[in-house]
Amino acid sequence: MDLNVDGFFSKAKKWREELEKLRMLCLDSGLTEELKWGKPCYTYQKSNVVLIHGFKEYCALLFMKDALLKDPNGILVQQTENVQASRQIRFTDVRQIVEMKPALKAYIKEAIEVEKTGLEVNYKKTSEFVIPEEFQNRLDGSAALRTAFDALTPGRQRGYILYFSAAKQSKTREVRVEKCVQQILDGKGLND
């Protein structure tokens, strides 16, 4: 047990009992416990395997390379359409965790095997993401903006593309693009 992680659990107001049950499952599997991104993370030889986190409506086990797992019980949930590797198993009460214990152990064991064998998720390349029309028009109209955007790391490019694409209305996409133009020209990512 990691003392930093103890702090996370002692501060948990919601899902406390559920989070503790999930913790015991992860520790029983022989994984190393660490605090990463402010959440309990369980690793195998320094590779992230599973994360425990709580939300308003549920708590969850998040498997880092779950896209490679078989999911025979059909319980894995993709958080959003743009998440490529990780999947969650969600819980709303401790009874679910207790009832699913054998299945959860099997999923954790398979996730550890994925790490042991060195399997990697084939991520979608940044060039495969569709650039929203509003941003494409700005790129086509400004050589400086195109050059600056192309100079960004693929992750920063993806961040902008996903942020612009997430807006449902064209007007909102235009506003988002406009707000970010200078930041792109300055060579910064969305959250820099």
Side-chain angles (χ1 to χ4, degrees), residues 24-40:
M24 290 301 112
L25 271 172
C26 292
L27 288 173
D28 288 348
S29 66
L31 294 170
T32 302
E33 182 177 66
E34 300 177 43
L35 193 66
K36 293 187 178 184
W37 309 285
K39 308 286 184 237

Side-chain angles (χ1 to χ4, degrees), residues 2 30 34 41 43 55 67 71 75 85 89 101 104 110 116 121 156 172 174-175 181-182 184:
D2 183 307
E34 300 177 43
C41 183
T43 63
F55 295 92
D71 193 18
I75 57 177
I89 301 175
K101 186 176 179 178
L104 297 174
E110 185 181 359
K116 284 181 180 179
V121 175
R156 287 183 171 135
T172 307
E174 288 174 6
V175 169
V181 166
Q182 189 57 52
I184 294 169

Side-chain angles (χ1 to χ4, degrees), residues 91-148:
F91 309 95
T92 55
D93 66 59
V94 75
R95 182 183 45 77
Q96 291 174 307
I97 298 167
V98 171
E99 290 172 1
M100 295 174 68
K101 186 176 179 178
L104 297 174
K105 283 184 163 191
Y107 278 76
I108 293 169
K109 183 178 179 182
E110 185 181 359
I112 293 168
E113 289 304 313
V114 164
E115 285 305 324
K116 284 181 180 179
T117 59
L119 291 174
E120 294 293 330
V121 175
N122 291 323
Y123 291 98
K124 191 172 166 181
K125 291 182 170 59
T126 300
S127 60
E128 296 176 51
F129 285 89
V130 176
I131 296 177
E133 181 181 351
E134 297 79 2
F135 185 49
Q136 187 64 56
N137 291 341
R138 288 298 298 266
L139 291 173
D140 293 343
S142 171
L145 183 60
R146 168 54 79 185
T147 300

Side-chain angles (χ1 to χ4, degrees), residues 49 56 82:
V49 176
K56 187 177 179 180
N82 294 314

Side-chain angles (χ1 to χ4, degrees), residues 15-70:
W15 310 116
R16 188 179 203 146
E17 188 178 358
E18 289 83 359
L19 296 172
E20 286 287 352
K21 281 277 190 216
L22 294 173
R23 181 186 199 188
M24 290 301 112
L25 271 172
C26 292
L27 288 173
D28 288 348
S29 66
L31 294 170
T32 302
E33 182 177 66
E34 300 177 43
L35 193 66
K36 293 187 178 184
W37 309 285
K39 308 286 184 237
C41 183
Y42 299 86
T43 63
Y44 173 77
Q45 296 183 350
K46 300 192 183 206
S47 292
N48 302 328
V49 176
V50 66
L51 185 91
I52 295 174
H53 54 172
F55 295 92
K56 187 177 179 180
E57 303 292 326
Y58 60 88
C59 63
L61 280 179
L62 175 85
F63 291 88
M64 302 301 192
K65 293 183 179 176
D66 220 24
L68 301 174
L69 301 184
K70 293 180 180 74

